[in-house]
Each structure stands twice: as C-alpha cells, then as structure tokens.
Amino acid sequence: VTFVRSVILRSSLDIVVVQKEIVTEEIGALEAQAKECTEQLAKRKAEIEALEAQESAEKKSEDELVELYESQVKEGLDCAMPVVSLIAAQQKLQEQAAAAAATLHEQAKQLDTEAWQKQATEAGASMQQQANDMAAAAQKRYEEEAPALQAHLEQASASAGAAVQQLQEAAVQETK
C-alpha cells in the first residue's frame, strides 16, 4: 500500500504525509511493546519479592526448629543428670566401703584377736549394707525417673525426625 501510494503520489507533501503515517504506526507499535515489557517487568519483580519472602520465612522456620530441638535435647540431658550423679555416688560409696572393709579386715588379721575380727566384720558388713541401701535408693530413683526421661527423649527424637522430614520436603520444593 505504501509503495503504491508513493508511486501514485508525486508531490513531496504526499510523500511526507505517507512517511508520517508510517512513523506514527511504528511509534504506536513500539509504545504497545514498551507497555507489554513494563507489565512483564512488574510481574517478574512481584514474583521475586514473593520468592524472597518465602525464602526468609523458610529460613526462620528452620532456625526455630533447630532451636526447639536443641532445647528439648538439653532438657532431656538435664533430667538425666541427677540419675547419673546418684549412680556415680553409689559406685564411689561401694568402692569406699570395700576399701574400708579390706582395711579393717587387714587390721583384724594383724591384731589376731577375735574381738577385733568380729568388730571389723561387723563394720564391713555395716558399710556394705549402707552401700547396698544407697544402691537400692539410686536404683529406685532411676526406675522412677527413667520412664519420664525415656518419654522426653522419645519426644525429642520424634520432633527431630519431623524436623528432618520438613527440611527434606522444603528442599524438594526448592528444587521444583
């Protein structure tokens, strides 16, 4: 059409008018294209902002889970501390009772008197009984506290398993 007009139209004004129409059409097309690019750019910026917000939320969630599981494990270990202390004390008392009984027995042998031997045997038996009583008390306390400690440790383990699963799911979603 433009070629036909330029051949038919011979005056310079006609040519300028045709050129003006062509340039006006090109400007309109370029403006439409610029508007479309601006809209796409705004859409992409909104998408990146949403992804950054999601990334921030995921990181915060992961950090909170780590803190939660660390505190649960610490609580479990704190609950176990008294039981461990009792067991250590019981062991130490048994060792001391055995050492004292051996010492008294040696002293009784050296004195070689029946009274000293009897006294040493009674003292050794008394100390052994005290050690046994302490061991029984420690065992009883352990048996009382062990179920609660076991439940707490199982809860912490289950929570840690859930956290690992959530982190794995988040990683899978990120790769998608």
Side-chain angles (χ1 to χ4, degrees), residues 56-85:
S56 176
E58 292 292 329
K59 182 171 172 107
K60 182 179 178 184
S61 175
E62 182 179 319
D63 291 343
E64 288 172 351
L65 287 173
V66 167
E67 287 177 20
L68 173 68
Y69 302 128
E70 283 179 353
S71 70
Q72 287 178 347
V73 168
K74 186 176 184 298
E75 286 176 20
L77 292 175
D78 288 345
C79 288
M81 184 62 73
V83 174
V84 171
S85 297

Side-chain angles (χ1 to χ4, degrees), residues 1-9 18 21-22:
V1 174
T2 307
F3 179 71
V4 172
R5 278 187 177 173
S6 65
V7 172
I8 295 174
L9 303 172
V18 169
E21 288 176 6
I22 292 172

